[in-house]
Amino acid sequence: PGTPTQGDALVVRAHQRVRCWLLAQAELAATHASAIVLAPNALDSAGVLPGTITDISRGGVAFRTKVYLPKHAHIIITITDPQAAAPEHRPALSLESIIARVVMVAREPPYDLGTSFIQLTPVQAEAMTRQIAHIAAPQPANAASVGEGGRRVA
């Protein structure tokens, strides 16, 4: 049982979400890899689905991608480190998630996939807490508020 957040009494969240803009990628978890077939052109050269995390909490993320995935699908989301020299090659955290909500953002893709993490280990939970604290930390006045691969949206 969560509490309403984000100004809508019908939106119930168990964890406060922090808006952000983080590079990420997803792949189907082994439990659903054979049930969901993605077109080869939906994946990048490494065979994963590229996307962006647009909000994050201790309970899940909003993963924005150009590919539709159905509710209840299990995916593994890898959040890349925005401070790494080559963020697309430096995973910060990989977490199995279930898609709880799918929203088309405009008349054409992208889609926002609202996810919930599946049984975080204590190490993963601590890493997620650190990641959120890093994102939510105050930025210098001259810092950009949003950037591709950046860590924060104000």
Side-chain angles (χ1 to χ4, degrees):
T3 57
T5 63
Q6 299 178 339
D8 185 343
L10 298 177
V11 175
V12 177
R13 304 251 189 243
H15 304 281
Q16 182 65 42
R17 296 203 174 233
V18 176
R19 291 184 55 200
C20 61
W21 192 266
L22 299 173
L23 296 177
Q25 59 191 31
E27 57 189 307
L28 293 169
T31 54
H32 289 149
S34 62
I36 300 170
V37 179
L38 298 175
N41 65 351
L43 306 176
D44 69 9
S45 60
V48 295
L49 186 62
T52 305
I53 302 296
T54 59
D55 77 41
I56 191 168
S57 78
R58 291 187 64 205
V61 300
F63 180 72
R64 183 168 290 176
T65 182
K66 293 182 179 181
V67 177
Y68 172 85
L69 291 173
K71 280 178 67 174
H72 308 294
H74 289 211
I75 58 175
I76 298 170
I77 296 175
T78 301
I79 303 169
T80 56
D81 182 353
Q83 304 304 316
E88 65 274 18
H89 299 296
R90 305 264 176 115
L93 198 52
S94 290
L95 304 163
E96 187 167 353
S97 305
I98 186 169
I99 298 173
R101 181 175 67 99
V102 180
V103 176
M104 185 180 243
V105 178
R107 289 184 177 221
E108 297 179 11
Y111 299 93
D112 275 350
L113 308 178
T115 68
S116 293
F117 299 134
I118 299 172
Q119 297 182 347
L120 294 182
T121 67
V123 171
Q124 290 172 322
E126 176 58 29
M128 182 54 70
T129 299
R130 283 193 316 269
Q131 182 84 317
I132 292 167
H134 178 69
I135 292 165
Q139 295 296 297
N142 61 353
S145 62
V146 178
E148 285 292 322
R151 69 180 185 121
R152 180 183 165 98
V153 174

